[in-house]
Amino acid sequence: MKKLLSVLLAVLMVLALAGCGQKEETPAGGGEAAPETVKIGVAIYQFDDNFMTLYRQNIQKYFDDLNAQGGTQYEVTIVDGKNDVAEQTEQVNTFISQGVDAMIVNLVQTSSPALAQAVEDSGIPTVFINREIADYNYGPKTCYVGADARDSGTYQGQIIFDQENHGDLNGDGVVKYIMIMGDPENSDAQNRTEYSIKYLTDNGVNVECLYQETGMWDQAKGQELVATALNAYGDDIEVVFCNNDGMALGAAQAINAAGRTVGKDIYLVGVDALVECCEMVKAGTMTGTVLNDDQGQATAACESVLKLLAGEEITNKVNYVPYVMVTPANADQYIK
Ligand code: GAL
């Protein structure tokens, strides 16, 4: 009798486990049973960031759309790391101790793998986004979705090179520029700074950097720094490179205030293809930008979450969504 009971118990446990596994199948499966709820914790490095705001809205929308189909319900909690390592560490540890089913993590700090390691140790399926950790070995339940920042820099350089004077507005044989950087800890900031200039020098253009400062991806800081540089170097500045569009918006304000005219006596490039910037590119008040595909990256990240939840192996551990160069020729496409 005792033996029979333990066999029965074992059978029941197997059945229960198989039942649990079902939530890991196709999300929109439907069926008569009450829909399963899957908890997803999303940690964003900072809400106050133009590009990451679009990104997180896209993540929310992806799961809202799935929920509307009536199958598995995804309960998404998005938290603001306020660009503070301690704050984000606490938020991610809270997700882990609450036992969320999956996470999407946009790290505040990529130079230390400590938080990523805590995520690996938790065994919770997690997709890291937007900020790449250099030389990192993703475990079986984690992966990264982003973009190859070298390409965005290369496109910025190409936009300037494609001008008929290759950026040399005053014809003195040297392109004098200023560089407004994002957070220098990020590979996006490092690569954009390096590869934008590399494209010019690889194509035989002489360059001189007059000023390089970090505006931390922020519009107000971008404005302040470009105003300072224009004040110090005046008409010598031919090109303003900004690591992102947020700072380019600030740069445009400073350029206007200094009485300079983009396309006529100065060039200005950014990255992200924010709608405002694409409108400016179309109007000629910004020379060009580069599409950083927030929607494509958010979709890829959410799809990876679903795959990991389904127990599928992700072979492409570092998934790069392509950048696109944006000039007056195609800016319309990105004004939505
Ligand atoms: C970059 C983006 C910036 C900023 C940054 C945050 O990819 O171009 O605007 O959002 O990520 O890490």
Side-chain angles (χ1 to χ4, degrees), residues 116 120 126 128 136-143 308 313-314 317:
E120 300 286 350
T126 299
F128 293 98
Y136 186 75
N137 279 327
Y138 293 91
K141 294 212 176 143
T142 62
C143 64
L308 289 170
E313 196 192 340
I314 294 195
K317 288 291 193 183

Side-chain angles (χ1 to χ4, degrees), residues 204-265:
V205 175
N206 293 318
V207 298
E208 185 183 333
C209 180
L210 296 175
Y211 178 88
Q212 178 166 318
E213 275 297 333
T214 175
M216 296 299 284
W217 306 118
D218 180 74
Q219 177 168 346
K221 290 203 183 83
Q223 176 176 10
E224 199 183 300
L225 295 176
V226 175
T228 303
L230 284 167
N231 204 21
Y233 300 100
D235 291 347
D236 281 349
I237 302 174
E238 292 164 289
V239 184
V240 179
F241 286 98
C242 293
N243 282 172
N244 78 341
D245 278 355
M247 297 187 297
L249 285 171
Q253 292 170 302
I255 287 169
N256 289 340
R260 305 282 296 271
T261 310
V262 171
K264 199 169 135 246
D265 56 35

Side-chain angles (χ1 to χ4, degrees), residues 27-330:
E32 280 108 53
E36 199 105 30
T37 299
V38 171
K39 290 199 166 82
I40 302 190
V42 181
I44 299 295
Y45 97 93
Q46 171 158 265
F47 278 7
D48 187 13
D49 173 302
N50 305 16
F51 175 74
M52 288 314 302
T53 297
L54 299 171
Y55 202 133
R56 77 184 141 93
Q57 287 167 348
N58 284 312
I59 291 174
Q60 183 69 60
K61 183 170 184 311
Y62 183 95
F63 288 110
D64 286 349
D65 288 351
L66 277 185
N67 289 346
Q69 292 174 25
T72 302
Q73 294 297 295
Y74 296 89
E75 201 180 292
V76 181
T77 307
I78 310 185
V79 292
D80 180 3
K82 300 186 183 132
N83 204 22
D84 182 306
V85 181
E87 173 103 28
Q88 184 173 62
T89 304
E90 197 184 314
Q91 291 170 338
V92 171
N93 282 331
T94 302
F95 282 150
I96 294 173
S97 62
Q98 286 169 345
V100 295
D101 298 291
M103 294 188 281
I104 295 179
V105 177
N106 172 210
L107 290 167
V108 167
Q109 187 185 54
T110 46
S111 57
S112 152
L115 190 54
Q117 196 52 56
V119 168
E120 300 286 350
D121 293 346
S122 76
I124 296 174
T126 299
V127 179
F128 293 98
I129 58 166
N130 170 257
R131 291 179 160 195
E132 198 172 344
I133 320 170
D135 305 319
Y136 186 75
N137 279 327
Y138 293 91
K141 294 212 176 143
T142 62
C143 64
Y144 174 75
V145 171
D148 187 341
R150 290 170 297 187
D151 291 345
S152 53
T154 301
Y155 286 141
Q156 287 190 298
Q158 192 177 341
I159 291 165
I160 298 305
F161 186 76
D162 287 351
Q163 305 303 311
E164 55 185 355
N165 49 28
H166 303 321
D168 185 12
L169 275 159
N170 60 17
D172 68 350
V174 184
V175 172
K176 299 206 176 85
Y177 69 92
I178 64 169
M179 181 68 70
I180 308 300
M181 292 183 71
D183 184 343
E185 204 232 9
N186 298 169
S187 62
D188 284 1
Q190 295 156 8
N191 284 316
R192 289 173 192 168
T193 299
E194 180 183 347
Y195 282 80
S196 52
I197 302 308
K198 187 175 183 307
Y199 187 89
L200 292 175
T201 52
D202 282 354
N203 283 284
V205 175
N206 293 318
V207 298
E208 185 183 333
C209 180
L210 296 175
Y211 178 88
Q212 178 166 318
E213 275 297 333
T214 175
M216 296 299 284
W217 306 118
D218 180 74
Q219 177 168 346
K221 290 203 183 83
Q223 176 176 10
E224 199 183 300
L225 295 176
V226 175
T228 303
L230 284 167
N231 204 21
Y233 300 100
D235 291 347
D236 281 349
I237 302 174
E238 292 164 289
V239 184
V240 179
F241 286 98
C242 293
N243 282 172
N244 78 341
D245 278 355
M247 297 187 297
L249 285 171
Q253 292 170 302
I255 287 169
N256 289 340
R260 305 282 296 271
T261 310
V262 171
K264 199 169 135 246
D265 56 35
I266 197 162
Y267 293 124
L268 170 65
V269 283
V271 175
D272 282 340
L274 298 180
V275 169
E276 305 93 295
C277 292
C278 292
E279 277 163 354
M280 287 163 65
V281 171
K282 190 179 169 194
T285 50
M286 194 167 152
T287 315
T289 181
V290 179
L291 172 72
N292 193 6
D293 189 355
D294 52 274
Q295 199 176 340
Q297 290 176 46
T299 303
C302 295
E303 284 172 356
S304 300
V305 163
L306 296 183
K307 275 193 188 156
L308 289 170
L309 276 169
E312 279 177 44
E313 196 192 340
I314 294 195
T315 44
N316 184 15
K317 288 291 193 183
V318 175
N319 182 359
Y320 285 148
V321 175
Y323 285 108
V324 182
M325 188 162 88
V326 180
T327 66
N330 65 347

